[in-house]
Structure formats: structure tokens, C-alpha cells
């Protein structure tokens, strides 16, 4: 869907950027709905999740197509997705926001993590959530769910455009996830947003420091007074920002 390749330099920048800053930068460009709704970290991680999207689409299961024996098929899309998601990318699952059955469990997600994936996001459920939360790899879901995916979901398509938590996700889009949740960045905007948001984060660190020292936010956030801009430039020089 895109020829864009996330560079290690841009990945490193996003590792230091919040989803809140990304949401603001996207809003400035008219993109209002890039935050995946209804997903939370399985367990909070210290490191920000960054990677391009590799997708898996589920449709509603039909009983005659989804007996337990389908897992014997070596080409079952759920299993294939775990084995083909490229290292450094994020597996994103479209479960139609239906968490009554799991989209994966700890064995499959452990395999995904060991293969070097940057993370996993599902707008449905995960089973064995405690085991998934214990992994170093970031994982996001709607909630724990014990029933196997076959009871409600049929894994159908790999690496096609999907919906995840009401956001259109195209293969190759850049996902950034922190403790607040996950933002989806159109691939063609990734590099410029990384630069812009790096500057935003710098200024917000300065603002927070000023607010903690008793400064009013009027004229400071957003910056509408030259005196604050001058103080910020001096702060940047002093702090190497």
C-alpha cells in the first residue's frame, strides 16, 4: 500500500513523543480521528511502541466454516500472520470492536514477540492476557477474553486496509503507542510529524517547568508573548534541546 520505510532515525524520534502531541499535529492537518478507540495496554511499558502496520482482518464467524479443526490448516490466516509479520512492524487486528472472543492468546503473541515484532494491537480481546502482559513487547487490546477466536471471528485477510477501533489502518502506516493508547499516522506524514512533534515535546517540557514554578498559562501555552519565546530559546540552549 505504500513504499515508505520507517527509518531508524524517525523511529527513535517517535520513541520520545507522546500520542497527545501526535494527535495535535494531525489535527492541525485536518485529521481528527487517528486515535484507536477502546484499546488499552495489556500492561504498561516503559518504552513507546513504534512500527509500521501489518494487518489482519477478521469477519464474523460462520459456524460451518470455523470448527476447531481449521487450526490444522497450515495456511490459517491467523497463524500465518504471526509467522509473516516483519520484524520491527506492528500487527494490527480488525475484530470489529467485538471483544467477546479472543483474537489471539499468549502462545501466538509470544511467537510474534520472539520474531521481533514491535507490538500488537487488537480492537478485540486477548486470552491469557497475563502472559501477554509479561512480554517485553507492547500489546494493546479491548479487554481479556477467554473464548477462542473461532467462536465469533474468522481470520480472513492479511495485510489489507482494515478498521481498528474506528480508525482506517493501511499497511505501512506508522503506529505509535504509549500508556494513553495508540495513534495511527499516515505513512507519508511520518517523517515531518516526527520532526514537528519533537519540537512540540521540547516546548511542552519547558512549559511544564514554568507552570510548576508558578507561571500562568496565559500567553505561555500556546506561546503568544515574545518574552516566553525568548525564555524558551534560552532554556533550549541551556538544556541542549
Amino acid at each position: 500500500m505504500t513504499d515508505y520505510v520507517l527509518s531508524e532515525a524517525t523511529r527513535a524520534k517517535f520513541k520520545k513523543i507522546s500520542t497527545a502531541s501526535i494527535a495535535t499535529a494531525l489535527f492541525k492537518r485536518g485529521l481528527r480521528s487517528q486515535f484507536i478507540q477502546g484499546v488499552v495496554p495489556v500492561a504498561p511499558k516503559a518504552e513507546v511502541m513504534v512500527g509500521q502496520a501489518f494487518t489482519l482482518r477478521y469477519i464474523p464467524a460462520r459456524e460451518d466454516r470455523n470448527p476447531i479443526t481449521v487450526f490444522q490448516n497450515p495456511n490459517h490466516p491467523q497463524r500465518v500472520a504471526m509467522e509473516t509479520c516483519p520484524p520491527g512492524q506492528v500487527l494490527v487486528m480488525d475484530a470489529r470492536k467485538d471483544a467477546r472472543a479472543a483474537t489471539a492468546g499468549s502462545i501466538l503473541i509470544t511467537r510474534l514477540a520472539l520474531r521481533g515484532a514491535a507490538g500488537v494491537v487488537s480492537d478485540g480481546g486477548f486470552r491469557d492476557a497475563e502472559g501477554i502482559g509479561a512480554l517485553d513487547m507492547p500489546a494493546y487490546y479491548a479487554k481479556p477474553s477467554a473464548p477462542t477466536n473461532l467462536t465469533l471471528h474468522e481470520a480472513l485477510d492479511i495485510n489489507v486496509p482494515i478498521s481498528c477501533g474506528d480508525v482506517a489502518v493501511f499497511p505501512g502506516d506508522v503506529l505509535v503507542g504509549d500508556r494513553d493508547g495508540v495513534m495511527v499516522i499516515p505513512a507519508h506524514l511520518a517523517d515531518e510529524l516526527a520532526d514537528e512533534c519533537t519540537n512540540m515535546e521540547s516546548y511542552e517540557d519547558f512549559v511544564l517547568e514554568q507552570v510548576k514554578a508558578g507561571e500562568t498559562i496565559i500567553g505561555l501555552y500556546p506561546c503568544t508573548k515574545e518574552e516566553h519565546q525568548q525564555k524558551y530559546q534560552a532554556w533550549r540552549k541551556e538544556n541542549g534541546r
Side-chain angles (χ1 to χ4, degrees), residues 13-238:
K13 291 174 185 176
F14 278 126
K15 288 280 187 181
K16 299 178 181 179
I17 295 170
S18 70
T19 54
S21 292
I22 293 167
T24 299
L26 288 170
F27 176 66
K28 291 176 182 177
R29 291 161 173 79
L31 295 169
R32 301 167 178 261
S33 303
Q34 298 302 114
F35 185 70
I36 297 180
Q37 297 295 318
V39 306
V40 296
V42 176
K45 304 296 180 186
E47 189 168 310
V48 172
M49 179 187 75
V50 183
Q52 290 186 262
F54 184 87
T55 65
L56 173 64
R57 184 172 77 97
Y58 284 100
I59 65 170
R62 199 176 74 188
E63 288 78 2
D64 63 326
R65 289 177 54 88
N66 289 276
I68 194 70
T69 52
V70 298
F71 285 146
Q72 297 174 12
N73 179 1
N75 295 316
H76 187 272
Q78 183 203 41
R79 267 52 177 177
V80 172
M82 302 297 163
E83 296 291 343
T84 56
C85 177
Q89 296 197 10
V90 176
L91 178 60
V92 190
M93 303 186 202
D94 175 4
R96 312 171 314 285
K97 300 195 299 182
D98 190 342
R100 293 176 297 157
T103 50
S106 64
I107 292 176
L108 271 63
I109 300 302
T110 297
R111 173 61 180 164
L112 184 71
L114 291 175
R115 291 191 57 255
V120 60
V121 181
S122 172
D123 63 1
F126 286 151
R127 64 199 309 196
D128 311 314
E130 184 176 357
I132 294 172
L135 297 170
D136 290 335
M137 184 187 74
Y140 294 81
Y141 69 161
K143 65 178 184 180
S145 187
T148 179
N149 64 311
L150 299 176
T151 60
L152 287 173
H153 307 301
E154 177 178 345
L156 194 68
D157 293 318
I158 295 174
N159 225 27
V160 298
I162 63 169
S163 170
C164 185
D166 296 327
V167 180
V169 181
F170 292 83
D173 283 349
V174 176
L175 275 74
V176 178
D178 59 15
R179 295 189 181 201
D180 285 353
V182 181
M183 292 296 302
V184 179
I185 303 168
H188 67 281
L189 295 175
D191 291 341
E192 66 181 73
L193 254 70
D195 290 334
E196 179 178 325
C197 291
T198 296
N199 292 329
M200 287 173 60
E201 294 279 336
S202 171
Y203 184 70
E204 291 189 357
D205 287 347
F206 164 75
V207 167
L208 188 58
E209 189 175 296
Q210 296 299 301
V211 169
K212 287 180 176 179
E215 183 65 69
T216 175
I217 60 169
I218 306 300
L220 174 67
Y221 189 68
C223 183
T224 58
K225 292 184 177 180
E226 180 61 27
E227 64 187 86
H228 291 312
Q229 184 61 36
Q230 291 175 359
K231 286 178 68 175
Y232 171 55
Q233 293 304 328
W235 178 89
R236 288 187 68 183
K237 185 177 294 186
E238 180 182 343

